[in-house]
């Protein structure tokens, strides 16, 4: 995929924060993506429960530093909005992560979309649950999020 996508938006009706990072991305692209995510989160009303759909279908970091710049963004977003990131359970030594919800915006579910079916199947088996799931299809992820109470 050559087209870069670094976007995020808040869907008030579905109460879903959609965020996409796709294409051959570098650290500047990660910075731009984080900015769109920050703007979208700021548009969520205080005292709102919301869900997150992360679409990494076609994500291809151009360097290790770009990958490192990306990989903590979503776990930190989830943790600072009340949802313990399942990603923590992938590590033998669990990183220290404070789960909080200081701004009254609470994340209740997370769907991760990625183009690698083996990785997503492994994540579903190892860390998937009733509030965090892993997909290769964005529409299936959105359908799952919309089906949650």
């Amino acid at each position: 995929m050559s087209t870069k996508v670094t976007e995020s938006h808040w869907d008030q009706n579905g109460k879903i924060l959609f965020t996409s990072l796709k294409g051959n991305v570098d650290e500047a692209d990660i910075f731009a993506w984080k900015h769109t995510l920050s703007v979208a989160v700021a548009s969520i009303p205080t005292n709102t429960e919301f869900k997150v759909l992360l679409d990494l279908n076609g994500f291809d970091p151009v360097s290790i530093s770009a990958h490192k710049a990306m990989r903590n963004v979503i776990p930190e977003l989830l943790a600072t909005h009340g949802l313990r990131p399942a990603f923590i359970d992938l590590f033998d030594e669990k990183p220290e992560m404070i789960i909080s919800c200081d701004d009254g915006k609470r994340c209740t579910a997370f769907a991760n979309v990625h183009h690698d079916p083996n990785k997503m199947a492994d994540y579903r088996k190892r860390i998937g649950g009733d509030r965090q799931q892993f997909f290769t299809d964005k529409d299936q992820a959105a359908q799952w999020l919309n089906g949650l109470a």
Side-chain angles (χ1 to χ4, degrees):
M1 172 183 264
S2 59
T3 303
K4 292 181 187 183
V5 177
T6 56
E7 62 187 17
S8 304
H9 71 276
W10 165 239
D11 172 21
Q12 175 68 36
N13 295 328
K15 304 272 192 252
I16 298 175
L17 173 64
F18 290 96
T19 187
S20 298
L21 182 61
K22 302 178 180 192
N24 298 327
V25 298
D26 58 24
E27 289 176 75
D29 298 318
I30 303 297
F31 181 79
W33 171 63
K34 284 173 61 174
H35 177 72
T36 70
L37 195 53
S38 198
V39 169
V41 168
S43 69
I44 299 172
T46 302
N47 299 321
T48 297
E49 290 187 346
F50 67 98
K51 304 164 195 167
V52 174
L53 192 154
L54 169 63
D55 186 0
L56 296 175
N57 205 343
F59 170 66
D60 188 18
V62 298
S63 66
I64 295 292
S65 59
H67 185 265
K68 285 182 179 180
M70 179 281 292
R71 71 178 175 196
N72 291 325
V73 174
I74 295 300
E76 288 174 4
L77 171 80
L78 299 177
T80 59
H81 291 91
L83 186 64
R84 181 184 178 279
F87 291 117
I88 291 173
D89 295 329
L90 292 173
F91 303 104
D92 291 333
E93 292 185 29
K94 311 285 187 259
E96 289 290 323
M97 187 155 271
I98 297 171
I99 312 302
S100 64
C101 190
D102 297 338
D103 64 1
K105 301 172 187 181
R106 179 168 300 279
C107 182
T108 60
F110 169 65
N112 186 20
V113 179
H114 190 277
H115 55 272
D116 184 336
N118 295 327
K119 179 185 277 190
M120 294 298 95
D122 181 52
Y123 284 6
R124 270 192 305 278
K125 180 180 175 184
R126 292 173 63 196
I127 61 173
D130 62 343
R131 290 290 162 185
Q132 296 180 61
Q133 273 304 331
F134 303 88
F135 301 87
T136 55
D137 182 89
K138 181 181 174 182
D139 292 337
Q140 288 178 349
Q143 185 177 16
W144 177 75
L145 286 173
N146 284 321
L148 296 174

